[in-house]
Amino acid sequence: METAQASDYSSTPQLFTASPDVRRKVLLVPDSFANAPLTESSSISAACPDNLLMISSFWHPNTGDLCLWAFNTATGDAFQFSTCSSEKCRSWFVGNYVMEDGTLTYLVPVDPLFLVIPFLLTAKKKRMFQPVSQILVESDNSTGSTSGSSCLSTLAKRADLFLRDLDLICTVKDILGKKVVKLSKTKLAAWVKVKVRFLADVLQKERVNVGSRVAVAGFIRKEEDYTQAQFEKFAFGILCNYLPEVLHNELSVALGLKEVVETKKQDNSSEQPSKKSKNGQEADASSEDYSKVFQRTNSAATEKKLTAAQKRLQKVDKTGMKNISSYFTRSTSVPEK
Amino acid sequence: MPASNTVFEAKWDHASTLKKVIDAVKDLIGDTSWDCTNTGMSLQSMDSSHVALVHVLLKSEGFESYRCDRNVSMGISLNSMAKVLKCAGNDDSVTLRHESESSVVNFAFESHKEERVSEFELKLMNIDTEHLGIPETEYDSIIKMPSADLRRTCADLSQFGDSVTISCAKSDVRFETSGDIGTGNVRLSARGSSDKPETEIAIEMINPVSLTFALKYLNFFTKAAPLSDTVKLCMSNNHPLCVEFPMPEVGYIRYYLAPKIDEEQDNE
């Protein structure tokens, strides 16, 4: 893999000269990586030199599949490799050469906390406070990928850097000078809520089309007014791409976003986005319909028609409230029909 | 109508009680099933978010006449039932009838003066209900107070915040809330009243309790206030609140609401 450095995303990428057997790709990287030496994740030790770009495959927090991530070991930022390949017939001119592969790869900054949520979630089932390194290492044993594991151990070793904001989603305790943590769903909900709000603000500012008939996110058919709630739902849909699926429903309830979103019929073909990228990655954000997450998580709710009063109750902030059935025993004595 | 097919028949003298019961619960639970046994009619259902539970019992003694030959479960949309009951005058008598193997329930309204009889059929629904066993619990604190007081307190405090902390001490109970515009608290002291028992505030406390609840839910619960002059709040730490509106001789409506628990406290 080669990288091309660009002063910012808008300028033309340049490519290093390399031997012809190397597969060339055009990659846009943020400013902070300019001049950063490149390393394999396996060569990372606890004492990393500053400003090091580390590329490693790691499990995607939503799908669990291995995909490529980049980590900045100086700032503790994480980036996901995303590919834009919506146009088949495209090539790059690089210097005097034509590079056949016309895909554009770029780095999307991702909060590293997203990456460890699946592991924290597994550890939470044990109902114990554990040191971060133990949580990550124990989960590591159960999975098979070596490159993912070495990246995980790096994260564990340098938790103070990559996971410095861990207290935002975890309850942290100090036991005999050792920091132990446990995922707190209350904190997680609050953390996601802030992210949803930021993202919704940006969507609103950029006038992104968040309706269900999104063909191109930047294209607004006519002056359409979306409510703040619609922006928040769309934003939550985007964030759900980085959250384990088991959390989607729970968080949407906790954030007060769960309600009947679109009552329009799904089978109406004109309601579907007119074009959908066949590439399954979230590379081409404009063709993704993030409001779908709601249609999926709400499928149970939409079966029943909710009254206005019930919708008001759906919106109530329910953080910290357990399912009422967890307090009572299930009885089987149901009168016969 | 051949009487042999009718397995369930219940008659109220006045439609007003049944109307108020349905009005008190229909906003929390949409579709539910009424379980009819020879001791009375009852329903138990969770709200759509599964944080609150409603339990209604209408005892057979509360009816003018009541007959239930075998246990039946009738799946009914409460909103539809409210629509049907709108067609009844408050003083009309109401008769509910269900026949064996039938997919409908019949409502008959008879006015006492004008000899007007109206009959309606409501289609039953197939509802999978999950019944929860609610154990008889020894609560740490039980507060008995006028239902109008609770309604007013909840309505007042919901101007300020989304959740209320109810703290019960030996001689008084405090409702506290805080929100963006400020804070509010209401303190009710125990008071006895021999001539008007419905206005007394009585507190039975074994252990002091302080619990936080979503105010909006409490506001919905107080819709049952027209049914009962008094209300009982039963609380234990880390247990759901039970708000009971007793209807003497008729039965009761009980609402259960999960408290808001700080996860860190819960872990300890």
Side-chain angles (χ1 to χ4, degrees):
Chain A
M1 164 90 54
E2 289 185 47
T3 56
Q5 291 150 14
S7 56
D8 68 38
Y9 282 140
S10 59
S11 60
T12 320
Q14 296 170 348
L15 201 76
F16 291 137
T17 47
S19 54
D21 57 328
V22 177
R23 226 175 106 215
R24 293 171 168 190
K25 289 237 182 204
V26 173
L27 169 67
L28 293 187
V29 297
D31 252 354
S32 56
F33 281 153
N35 307 322
L38 190 64
T39 181
E40 280 289 315
S41 62
S42 48
S43 62
I44 298 271
S45 66
C48 291
D50 279 349
N51 215 15
L52 202 64
L53 175 63
M54 165 183 129
I55 294 175
S56 167
S57 47
F58 195 74
W59 299 276
H60 193 279
N62 175 249
T63 58
D65 298 336
L66 279 172
C67 53
L68 267 185
W69 298 83
F71 299 91
N72 186 336
T73 51
T75 57
D77 297 325
F79 301 85
Q80 188 194 4
F81 276 77
S82 285
T83 329
C84 179
S85 57
S86 54
E87 277 190 53
K88 279 180 193 162
C89 309
R90 186 171 62 192
S91 296
W92 292 108
F93 280 114
V94 181
N96 291 327
Y97 301 95
V98 173
M99 211 172 77
E100 200 183 333
D101 188 351
T103 58
L104 174 65
T105 311
Y106 50 94
L107 296 180
V108 181
V110 175
D111 195 323
L113 289 184
F114 279 113
L115 300 184
V116 293
I117 288 174
F119 302 102
L120 294 170
L121 208 59
T122 318
K124 189 181 166 70
K125 287 183 190 143
K126 291 184 188 162
R127 302 185 66 84
M128 288 195 305
F129 283 84
Q130 288 171 295
V132 190
S133 49
Q134 194 180 337
I135 290 176
L136 297 184
V137 168
E138 274 187 14
S139 331
D140 175 26
N141 293 337
S142 57
T143 50
S145 159
T146 43
S147 58
S149 306
S150 67
C151 179
L152 195 61
S153 61
T154 311
L155 281 184
K157 273 178 203 153
R158 307 217 55 200
D160 56 322
L161 178 73
F162 286 108
L163 307 176
R164 58 185 181 274
D165 294 330
L166 202 63
D167 57 322
L168 292 178
I169 57 168
C170 287
T171 314
V172 182
K173 281 190 181 179
D174 204 323
I175 294 177
L176 301 171
K178 205 167 187 186
K179 218 167 84 171
V180 288
V181 298
K182 194 171 104 172
L183 185 70
S184 156
K185 290 210 173 147
T186 322
K187 282 186 166 187
L188 181 67
W191 180 72
V192 173
K193 197 171 188 167
V194 172
K195 289 210 180 287
V196 164
R197 209 164 51 219
F198 283 166
L199 198 50
D201 286 348
V202 173
L203 290 174
Q204 202 161 16
K205 218 168 111 193
E206 301 283 326
R207 291 163 46 81
V208 173
N209 188 350
V210 296
S212 63
R213 292 197 290 186
V214 186
V216 180
F219 171 71
I220 296 183
R221 202 174 302 243
K222 53 180 183 279
E223 280 304 313
E224 284 186 79
D225 285 327
Y226 295 111
T227 59
Q228 178 71 20
Q230 271 175 302
F231 281 110
E232 285 187 4
K233 272 170 214 152
F234 198 81
F236 181 70
I238 295 176
L239 288 180
C240 277
N241 278 320
Y242 296 95
L243 289 165
E245 199 151 342
V246 287
L247 287 174
H248 293 183
N249 215 2
E250 206 174 327
L251 283 172
S252 64
V253 172
L255 265 60
L257 292 171
K258 190 178 179 180
E259 56 166 323
V260 186
V261 193
E262 309 282 337
T263 45
K264 296 166 192 161
K265 286 220 170 80
Q266 278 292 295
D267 52 353
N268 189 343
S269 56
S270 67
E271 292 295 327
Q272 298 294 335
S274 53
K275 189 183 154 204
K276 212 165 177 305
S277 164
K278 281 197 173 170
N279 190 329
Q281 299 168 357
E282 49 266 33
D284 192 2
S286 58
S287 63
E288 294 269 334
D289 181 1
Y290 293 109
S291 60
K292 278 236 171 68
V293 174
F294 271 90
Q295 285 152 4
R296 201 171 61 229
T297 57
N298 280 339
S299 56
T302 41
E303 282 170 18
K304 283 194 223 161
K305 225 170 144 189
L306 296 180
T307 61
Q310 284 174 314
K311 280 185 199 163
R312 278 211 300 281
L313 284 176
Q314 290 267 3
K315 282 186 191 159
V316 172
D317 179 17
K318 298 189 190 70
T319 34
M321 289 166 85
K322 281 191 199 166
N323 192 320
I324 192 90
S325 55
S326 64
Y327 293 101
F328 302 120
T329 50
R330 279 163 214 282
S331 92
T332 46
S333 62
V334 182
E336 61 174 291
K337 172 94 187 160
Chain B
M1 181 172 303
S4 57
N5 273 350
T6 309
V7 288
F8 171 75
E9 189 177 294
K11 186 179 177 189
W12 284 270
D13 234 0
H14 300 285
S16 56
T17 312
L18 187 60
K19 281 182 169 198
K20 284 178 194 164
V21 169
I22 301 302
D23 282 342
V25 297
K26 75 171 194 310
D27 286 336
L28 276 167
I29 46 179
D31 306 334
T32 188
S33 70
W34 282 97
D35 301 320
C36 310
T37 63
N38 56 7
T39 54
M41 285 175 79
S42 69
L43 77 79
Q44 194 204 71
S45 187
M46 285 186 271
D47 80 304
S48 55
S49 305
H50 291 204
V51 294
L53 180 81
V54 181
H55 183 202
V56 179
L57 175 69
L58 302 171
K59 289 189 253 179
S60 56
E61 300 94 277
F63 295 82
E64 207 210 352
S65 67
Y66 186 89
R67 195 188 114 201
C68 186
D69 298 342
R70 66 176 173 82
N71 293 353
V72 271
S73 178
M74 300 188 293
I76 289 179
S77 145
L78 289 184
N79 276 308
S80 312
M81 194 168 168
K83 277 181 195 162
V84 172
L85 287 172
K86 260 194 189 140
C87 306
N90 277 342
D91 293 326
D92 293 0
S93 72
V94 182
T95 311
L96 244 73
R97 202 176 288 118
H98 176 65
E99 287 174 28
S100 178
E101 308 300 322
S102 160
S103 63
V104 293
V105 59
N106 296 72
F107 288 79
F109 307 133
E110 270 177 74
S111 70
H112 296 289
K113 290 177 201 154
E114 296 152 24
E115 300 192 344
R116 174 192 154 110
V117 180
S118 32
E119 288 194 12
F120 298 92
E121 264 184 8
L122 190 62
K123 286 180 196 157
L124 294 181
M125 312 162 81
N126 266 329
I127 293 173
D128 285 327
T129 44
E130 190 176 31
H131 278 251
L132 298 174
I134 303 166
E136 286 291 319
T137 320
E138 283 270 313
Y139 286 99
D140 286 342
S141 293
I142 297 175
I143 304 146
K144 202 181 137 217
M145 63 193 283
S147 55
D149 271 2
L150 180 70
R151 181 159 68 172
R152 189 178 158 200
T153 308
C154 293
D156 288 353
L157 292 182
S158 58
Q159 310 279 335
F160 290 89
D162 296 332
S163 53
V164 60
T165 304
I166 307 178
S167 318
C168 185
K170 208 159 198 102
S171 61
D172 61 12
V173 53
R174 283 172 74 94
F175 298 78
E176 288 171 90
T177 187
S178 67
D180 292 340
I181 59 162
T183 61
N185 79 77
V186 174
R187 197 182 78 229
L188 298 172
S189 304
R191 59 164 190 250
S193 176
S194 53
D195 52 334
K196 275 190 176 170
E198 67 272 13
T199 61
E200 75 170 7
I201 296 176
I203 297 170
E204 288 171 42
M205 192 202 77
I206 301 167
N207 291 310
V209 183
S210 180
L211 289 170
T212 305
F213 303 100
L215 255 176
K216 215 156 226 158
Y217 275 88
L218 293 181
N219 272 331
F220 273 91
F221 296 172
T222 57
K223 288 193 176 176
L227 279 165
S228 169
D229 290 333
T230 58
V231 59
K232 246 167 64 178
L233 303 179
C234 309
M235 302 198 293
S236 284
N237 282 318
N238 286 338
H239 271 275
L241 163 80
C242 170
V243 183
E244 178 181 329
F245 291 88
M247 299 178 276
E249 289 172 20
V250 177
Y252 55 76
I253 297 185
R254 283 180 188 160
Y255 299 95
Y256 296 87
L257 179 63
K260 289 185 161 218
I261 295 172
D262 194 356
E263 219 172 303
E264 287 166 46
Q265 281 177 9
D266 187 33
N267 289 332
E268 276 158 23

